[in-house]
Amino acid sequence: MEPTSLEGLVVDNQQDGLFRVNRQAFVSPEVLALEQQRIFAHCWIYAGHETEVPNPGDFCSRRVAGRPVILARGDDGQVRVLLNTCTHRGALVCREQAGNARSFQCPYHAWTFSTRGELIGLPGEDAYSPAFNRNELALGTPPRVESYRGFVFINLDPKAEDLVTYLAGAKEYLDLVCDQSEVGVEIVQGSQLYSMRANWKLLVENSIDGYHALPTHQRYMSFLGEIGGMDLSAVTRLRGFAKSLGNGHSVIEYEPPWGRPVARWAPYFGKEKKASLAAIQQRLEQRFGKEWAYRVAQTSRNLQIFPNLIINDIMAVTVRTFFPVSCDYMEISAWALAPKEETAEDRALRLDNFLTFLGPGGFATPDDVEMLESCQRGFANREVMWSDISRGMNRAEPVTTDELQIRTFWRRWHELITGTPSAKVTGQRAA
């Protein structure tokens, strides 16, 4: 793809209220290569949560932005992100997915590194010259590692702006999620790993798309109605809004028809839960005031942090990130987030909510996988060149079923992929 054609991948005609994305953005290997260079190599990318490694020596290994890394808490208590490659000849020094270790030893020549990444041992060190320096051969780290309220991000660009500045308005929504707890939130042990034969940006769109909820997930809505939890028609008249948060981040926030384990009771939770959830609500109001407490406990939010972190704080909280393997295939990791102080009973209720709707074996994810893979298969019709994302474009106050939040992602994507501060194309109709 010629660089000059990149400008035409997005049509942003604000005058006529039209927004179109050329489907080459979903099928072109050249576009994916540019995304790796211009987006994943320069944006803050979510690597994990500090509570995944609560004790000294705890570690998780995973791939982040194409790099095998280790999220580790050193024996000094500090959480680090280490590049998982031996500084001798390159082999992975950690092959376990998670665990607790005193050190990481490369299986190739037995070079051994501390949980801080220091080179602490190697066979036959006397064979090296006096110039050999263990300090220079510690495990590498990404150029930038920062965290906000336990969410650890890396940036491969040493000149990148700091994380808090990058988060912009998304910070407020991370606060709303974390303030559900009086002592802190934690990732529930275990992860969900799955894949999808679709372009990664389709999952971005889907995760913040209120428009698809009823037609795609009608079975789940009916299920909630059957167990006495929800009036199906309530989904079509949600009170809420869509909002751009800056730097490509966006959110939909709304009063949900379902219960929220933090403090929003629903009939299917059982009458016995009503009083305890009301007590939690009262404590939240004492800490934060009524307005903030209401948003924390009584509203739901689907938050997108550019480019590939989704936090859906709905009937449970899922933290989801995903990376493209090819332009039509992605790998997804997801975790449940919960208040640390929850009782076992409340945790069970939360996880039941999580697995029933959000898990890959639940009501929602298989529906979404089918729809997104269907979109990818549909893109084979190259004669149909554009996807339309215009819904609600001229509405002064966009609602959750509009597509402002999706356009927010695409506008930032287009700025970065074209390498220009603003890539708006106005007054131009999609062909």
Side-chain angles (χ1 to χ4, degrees), residues 209 248 325:
D209 175 15
V325 176

Side-chain angles (χ1 to χ4, degrees), residues 38-39 42-45 153 155 160-171 204 243-251 303-309 404-416 421:
R38 299 180 181 180
I39 295 177
H42 294 282
C43 293
W44 284 97
I45 307 295
F153 293 76
N155 199 309
E161 61 187 345
D162 66 273
L163 176 62
V164 169
T165 302
Y166 177 81
L167 288 174
K171 194 165 70 68
V204 174
K243 190 175 181 181
S244 172
L245 302 172
N247 282 342
H249 319 313
S250 62
V251 71
L303 171 65
Q304 180 265 139
I305 296 179
F306 190 91
N308 66 333
L309 174 62
L404 167 73
Q405 63 283 11
I406 302 173
R407 291 191 292 274
T408 296
F409 167 84
W410 278 110
R411 283 173 175 142
R412 183 60 177 157
W413 178 90
H414 199 209
E415 287 177 358
L416 294 177

Side-chain angles (χ1 to χ4, degrees), residues 179-226:
D179 285 348
Q180 294 179 25
S181 169
E182 297 178 48
V183 298
V185 292
E186 64 180 359
I187 293 289
V188 179
Q189 190 173 10
S191 57
Q192 297 175 336
L193 309 174
Y194 55 106
S195 61
M196 201 183 303
R197 297 194 179 282
N199 186 275
W200 69 279
K201 300 184 290 297
L202 286 171
L203 187 52
V204 174
E205 294 181 346
N206 172 266
S207 300
I208 49 175
D209 175 15
Y211 190 29
H212 82 290
L214 189 56
T216 302
H217 304 306
Q218 189 168 13
R219 181 67 192 96
Y220 178 70
M221 306 305 173
S222 300
F223 167 73
L224 288 185
E226 290 166 9

Side-chain angles (χ1 to χ4, degrees), residues 333-398:
S333 300
W335 301 268
L337 190 77
K340 288 181 179 177
E341 71 273 26
E342 263 183 345
T343 65
E345 185 182 12
D346 286 349
R347 181 62 61 88
L349 175 63
R350 175 182 296 277
L351 293 181
D352 184 64
N353 267 11
F354 182 83
L355 294 171
T356 299
F357 187 71
L358 293 163
F363 276 99
T365 301
D367 292 339
D368 289 330
V369 170
E370 171 56 26
M371 289 301 101
L372 303 192
E373 292 189 344
S374 174
C375 291
Q376 196 72 36
R377 291 194 297 273
F379 293 156
N381 289 305
R382 302 296 170 83
E383 295 79 9
V384 181
M385 297 173 60
W386 301 92
S387 290
D388 186 282
I389 310 178
S390 303
R391 186 175 172 82
M393 195 161 172
N394 287 336
R395 203 194 303 268
E397 297 181 355

Side-chain angles (χ1 to χ4, degrees), residues 26-289:
F26 298 103
V27 300
S28 166
E30 290 84 359
V31 168
L32 175 62
L34 288 173
E35 289 173 341
Q36 300 287 13
Q37 297 168 17
R38 299 180 181 180
I39 295 177
F40 289 102
H42 294 282
C43 293
W44 284 97
I45 307 295
Y46 179 69
H49 197 271
E50 292 176 1
T51 58
E52 292 181 81
V53 288
N55 305 304
D58 285 351
F59 69 88
C60 305
S61 61
R62 58 188 48 148
R63 290 183 67 83
V64 177
R67 268 73 164 174
V69 304
I70 311 167
L71 180 72
R73 189 178 290 274
D75 56 8
D76 57 352
Q78 182 178 338
V79 175
R80 297 177 175 83
V81 178
L82 305 171
L83 301 180
N84 191 2
T85 177
C86 183
T87 50
H88 177 215
R89 300 278 282 277
L92 302 178
V93 299
C94 179
R95 297 182 174 204
E96 302 292 328
Q97 205 163 58
N100 184 278
R102 297 177 62 182
S103 61
F104 303 110
Q105 185 174 74
C106 177
Y108 195 8
H109 298 91
W111 281 34
T112 304
F113 303 86
S114 74
T115 52
R116 304 184 193 194
E118 305 153 315
L119 176 61
I120 56 174
L122 65 158
E125 188 173 0
D126 57 357
Y128 291 91
S129 76
F132 184 86
N133 186 339
R134 283 190 180 192
N135 294 331
E136 294 176 349
L137 292 162
L139 291 178
T141 59
R144 301 282 296 279
V145 181
E146 295 181 20
S147 67
Y148 181 75
R149 298 201 70 167
F151 294 87
V152 180
F153 293 76
I154 68 171
N155 199 309
L156 302 174
D157 180 357
K159 298 179 180 177
E161 61 187 345
D162 66 273
L163 176 62
V164 169
T165 302
Y166 177 81
L167 288 174
K171 194 165 70 68
E172 172 186 342
Y173 285 86
L174 286 176
D175 290 340
L176 284 168
V177 173
C178 295
D179 285 348
Q180 294 179 25
S181 169
E182 297 178 48
V183 298
V185 292
E186 64 180 359
I187 293 289
V188 179
Q189 190 173 10
S191 57
Q192 297 175 336
L193 309 174
Y194 55 106
S195 61
M196 201 183 303
R197 297 194 179 282
N199 186 275
W200 69 279
K201 300 184 290 297
L202 286 171
L203 187 52
V204 174
E205 294 181 346
N206 172 266
S207 300
I208 49 175
D209 175 15
Y211 190 29
H212 82 290
L214 189 56
T216 302
H217 304 306
Q218 189 168 13
R219 181 67 192 96
Y220 178 70
M221 306 305 173
S222 300
F223 167 73
L224 288 185
E226 290 166 9
I227 63 174
M230 191 178 75
D231 173 9
L232 192 61
S233 63
V235 180
T236 62
R237 44 184 168 78
L238 289 178
R239 288 183 55 196
F241 57 85
K243 190 175 181 181
S244 172
L245 302 172
N247 282 342
H249 319 313
S250 62
V251 71
I252 55 174
E253 182 178 356
Y254 49 96
E255 294 176 337
W258 46 73
R260 286 168 49 78
V262 55
R264 185 179 179 89
W265 183 81
Y268 59 91
F269 286 177
K271 290 181 180 178
E272 64 280 3
K273 292 299 302 175
K274 202 167 187 177
S276 63
L277 294 184
I280 293 173
Q281 180 71 33
Q282 191 173 23
R283 290 201 300 273
L284 287 170
E285 290 177 5
Q286 289 169 351
R287 291 174 62 206
F288 299 117

